[in-house]
Amino acid sequence: MTASLETTDLRKAFGGVTALDGATVRFRHGQVNALIGPNGSGKTTFFNCVTGMIRPDSGRTTYRGADITRKAPHAIARAGIGRTFQLCRVFPRMTALDNVLAAVRPGGVLGGLRGARSRAQTDRAREWLTRLGIEHLTDVEARNMSWGQQKLLELAGVLMADPETVLLDEPAGGVNPALLDRIGTLVRELNAEGRTFVIVEHNMDLVMSISDHIVVFDRGRPIAEGPPSMIRTDERVLGAYLGV
Amino acid sequence: MPSASDTVTAPGAAPAPPGPAAGRPRLGRVLTIAAVVALAAAVLAFPGLAPNPYILSAGIVVLNYAVLSTSWNFVGGFTGYISLGHGALAGLGGYGTGLLVTKAGLPSLAALVLAMLLVALIAVPIGFAALRVRGASFVIVSIALVLIMLLVFQSWASVTGGSRGLVVPRPFPDLLRPEHHRVFYYLYAGLLALALGVWWLIDRSRFGLGLKAIREDEDKAEALGTPTFAYKLVVFVVSAAFTALSGGLYALWFGDLDPVFQFSILTGSYMVLMALLGGVRNLFGPLVGALVVGTALEFFKGSFGNTPLHLVATGVLLGLVVMFMPDGVLPALRNLFARFDRTRQSSIREVSAAELRDQRLQSTGGKA
């Protein structure tokens, strides 16, 4: 099993609060990985450190063998890691189409001056909107959409950048059961097409049904990992998560 | 059976029509083109219609405002960074041009272009420092720039002339004063057209979409792969170059520079206010704002002489616009016309998942 995203001894403290306490994690390439753990166990901080949004105090992150620890977020994105945010972030005063087109890499200085709405890119953007089931909102500004629609739009934008690895921060947060199903199916489909996933999620039904490999966090470091069947019965996990 | 929570909003019952122009009402586009043509004709015809040189010079002042505020809008409109320090860049362009003519003996046009390049060069370290901070901090850093420049140019009297001022020789000494005004009026009109053209080019480009993404949510743009800092820096330098050109042209036209006026907080504030008043998301927003505020300023100055009353009157005008047209004059006008446009469906109605499925079946010919 080849590793795609690996961290070694990541540490991050905010004042007196230790968010990451020596997190050494290895996610598997080509699989759906899940990252679970109680609130405040450092999952989002871990995402933010890995994607360069926060600089870790120490430790290192490698992606497919290359060190990305000190890289800027846009460089990490361009290395092939896309991410969504826990509180879904879209560009509120842009249409759905522009939201997705904003993920297009300009391709050099001259490329930046090319029209943003070129036929080829617009077609690709519409394909993603259609695949996520929000093509009827193409010309609607994101701020006028519902929460669930915004989550789908955020995902469409991330996928438009064609990342090899996708980090999803609570994709099931605040969405209805039908949409939850759709997101689960979509993740499996995209995974079958060769994309690696790392998913932070509290909804255990979703996690157990879609992931191949689960890493459990508690107090800023992994305490267990393995396939869903193993995690379900692990006593340390039950202790940390359910308090039994 | 679709549940209530399965509903999604859709613009009307029909699927959105394809094509990039779908979101824009056709009537609105015709009106926009007509308005632009009328505006261009009015600007070009103004010198012929101006009854005396004083009115013509007031026209130049308004055009100067229009260029400055359009230049400001490269940063303010695209990235949402509100710079109150652009007055300093205009002042540097003015003094750069003036000093290159008087001290280095360059021809006026060469001095103007070289001053622009120098200011663009200086804008790199300025932007490098200032664009690291966001929101209110950026505004304060940009104000500091003006104050520092004011002190430097006042104190360094041996070079800049200090408070005694710097006299810049006229580029066309043979021309009579009304002719001189006329030439500069058209030079400013040309510069305005150039600035608008470049803004339009960026507005529709990938670079422009990246800049607007920064305005909407900078961290999100960065996470999507946009090198936000480089984007901001590039557009700041472009903005500085146009601002410097406008300042340099002013120096050649007016012929007398004083640090108190060149490095005044008011200049930068006017640029911001004009752009906000017209609408920063619009190509012509700053121009419209400059026409309204610039004309009002000149008119009130003429009516109330040198009392601060013209500032009060301008303040009242701005208060009214901010209260009733928070996005600026142009979006307010567009909404007004959109109300009369029957081709546009403005109601966003809830459709159920079942209806949506039917629509999709129809549009894909039953394949889905």
Side-chain angles (χ1 to χ4, degrees):
Chain A
M1 196 64 59
T2 53
S4 68
L5 188 59
E6 267 187 274
T7 64
T8 314
D9 201 29
L10 274 190
R11 286 171 194 278
K12 178 74 193 176
F14 300 103
V17 182
T18 305
L20 287 179
D21 192 12
T24 301
V25 187
R26 200 163 183 227
F27 294 111
R28 294 164 177 210
H29 194 63
Q31 295 202 345
V32 177
N33 300 272
L35 183 58
I36 63 172
N39 286 320
S41 60
K43 305 182 299 286
T44 295
T45 303
F46 179 80
F47 260 26
N48 286 338
C49 282
V50 165
T51 54
M53 311 290 291
I54 294 179
R55 191 158 278 197
D57 297 335
S58 65
R60 57 181 251 154
T61 309
T62 59
Y63 180 61
R64 312 210 67 181
D67 193 330
I68 56 166
T69 319
R70 306 265 161 222
K71 287 202 170 173
H74 72 264
I76 293 175
R78 288 180 174 209
I81 302 178
R83 72 165 295 183
T84 64
F85 289 85
Q86 187 175 9
L87 294 173
C88 152
R89 280 165 98 162
V90 289
F91 303 120
R93 292 191 63 166
M94 280 192 198
T95 63
L97 184 65
D98 281 349
N99 258 280
V100 179
L101 285 173
V104 175
R105 311 266 192 266
V109 174
L110 285 178
L113 290 175
R114 270 184 296 173
R117 290 180 164 210
S118 73
R119 165 66 55 164
Q121 298 298 347
T122 308
D123 285 349
R124 266 190 68 220
R126 283 175 194 280
E127 272 169 34
W128 279 118
L129 289 172
T130 305
R131 183 147 183 205
L132 287 160
I134 49 174
E135 76 274 20
H136 58 291
L137 301 170
T138 303
D139 295 314
V140 175
E141 282 190 359
R143 60 177 169 162
N144 294 329
M145 296 181 187
S146 72
W147 174 257
Q149 290 164 349
Q150 291 190 11
K151 292 204 93 154
L152 292 170
L153 178 59
E154 184 183 31
L155 193 51
V158 168
L159 290 167
M160 181 74 179
D162 201 18
E164 201 176 32
T165 299
V166 187
L167 275 50
L168 303 178
D169 202 347
E170 299 200 13
V175 305
N176 71 55
L179 187 50
L180 194 60
D181 264 5
R182 198 151 92 201
I183 291 175
T185 313
L186 189 75
V187 168
R188 293 272 24 151
E189 278 174 19
L190 291 165
N191 175 242
E193 290 163 21
R195 282 181 223 275
T196 304
F197 279 85
V198 179
I199 301 174
V200 164
E201 187 49 68
H202 283 299
N203 183 315
M204 279 309 118
D205 290 339
L206 182 71
V207 168
M208 293 299 167
S209 66
I210 67 172
S211 26
D212 303 304
H213 184 78
I214 299 177
V215 177
V216 186
F217 256 46
D218 189 33
R219 293 171 202 200
R221 66 165 72 129
I223 54 164
E225 61 177 295
S229 56
M230 216 171 97
I231 295 300
R232 221 190 297 258
T233 54
D234 190 298
E235 275 178 18
R236 282 167 306 173
V237 178
L238 293 176
Y241 225 142
L242 305 169
V244 292
Chain B
M1 184 65 201
S3 70
S5 58
D6 275 338
T7 57
V8 286
T9 56
R24 201 99 185 275
R26 190 166 289 172
L27 177 65
R29 174 156 290 187
V30 172
L31 280 171
T32 306
I33 292 171
V36 170
V37 171
L39 193 66
V43 167
L44 291 178
F46 180 78
L49 300 172
N52 58 52
Y54 172 72
I55 298 289
L56 185 55
S57 72
I60 298 176
V61 170
V62 172
L63 275 188
N64 180 34
Y65 281 137
V67 176
L68 285 175
S69 131
T70 301
S71 310
W72 175 89
N73 208 35
F74 279 92
V75 174
F78 285 133
T79 69
Y81 277 65
I82 304 296
S83 159
L84 280 174
H86 264 54
L89 299 170
L92 282 175
Y95 266 99
T97 307
L99 290 172
L100 284 170
V101 172
T102 53
K103 308 276 176 189
L106 286 183
S108 302
L109 187 68
L112 181 68
V113 173
L114 190 59
M116 174 201 76
L117 292 175
L118 285 174
V119 173
L121 207 66
I122 295 169
V124 175
I126 293 175
F128 202 83
L131 292 166
R132 295 198 166 271
V133 291
R134 301 181 190 174
S137 308
F138 176 78
V139 178
I140 290 164
V141 170
S142 71
I143 293 175
L145 177 66
V146 183
L147 298 176
I148 292 167
M149 287 302 156
L150 176 62
L151 284 177
V152 169
F153 278 79
Q154 266 182 337
S155 314
W156 199 8
S158 59
V159 176
T160 65
S163 299
R164 276 176 292 115
L166 178 72
V167 175
V168 185
R170 286 211 237 158
F172 316 109
D174 304 335
L175 289 185
L176 294 173
R177 188 146 281 275
E179 282 307 310
H180 182 75
H181 285 333
R182 193 183 295 270
V183 168
F184 271 93
Y185 181 90
Y186 285 116
L187 282 174
Y188 263 115
L191 183 56
L192 178 62
L194 185 67
L196 289 171
V198 174
W199 201 93
W200 177 82
L201 198 72
I202 293 179
D203 185 38
R204 58 188 294 285
S205 72
R206 291 179 186 180
F207 175 54
L209 191 58
L211 291 171
K212 284 178 260 183
I214 292 172
R215 173 182 75 199
E216 296 287 307
D217 185 339
E218 189 165 346
D219 291 332
K220 168 73 184 171
E222 178 80 20
L224 269 183
T226 307
T228 52
F229 190 71
Y231 272 42
K232 289 186 292 184
L233 194 58
V234 168
V235 88
F236 183 77
V237 170
V238 171
S239 171
F242 276 110
T243 310
L245 272 179
S246 198
L249 213 48
Y250 181 85
L252 293 176
W253 170 61
F254 199 71
D256 193 354
L257 302 176
D258 183 325
V260 172
F261 296 111
Q262 292 305 300
F263 300 102
S264 150
I265 295 286
L266 267 184
T267 317
S269 314
Y270 282 151
M271 292 188 221
V272 180
L273 296 177
M274 288 166 183
L276 287 179
L277 186 132
V280 293
R281 289 156 199 271
N282 295 273
L283 172 60
F284 296 106
L287 168 58
V288 168
L291 287 179
V292 174
V293 181
T295 310
L297 267 178
E298 290 301 301
F299 175 78
F300 293 143
K301 255 187 215 168
S303 309
F304 307 131
N306 260 344
T307 67
L309 259 181
H310 67 280
L311 293 177
V312 175
T314 314
V316 170
L317 185 71
L318 286 162
L320 288 174
V321 170
V322 168
M323 275 172 73
F324 297 108
M325 308 177 197
D327 273 351
V329 172
L330 283 184
L333 281 179
R334 186 177 298 158
N335 289 344
L336 187 68
F337 285 122
R339 220 182 278 176
F340 297 114
D341 188 357
R342 285 166 177 277
T343 59
R344 189 190 172 103
Q345 287 167 318
S346 54
S347 72
I348 296 183
R349 142 180 129 70
E350 297 263 322
V351 296
S352 70
E355 278 178 278
L356 190 65
R357 198 161 48 235
D358 290 344
Q359 284 170 23
R360 253 188 242 148
L361 281 175
Q362 272 174 6
S363 60
T364 55
K367 274 178 291 180

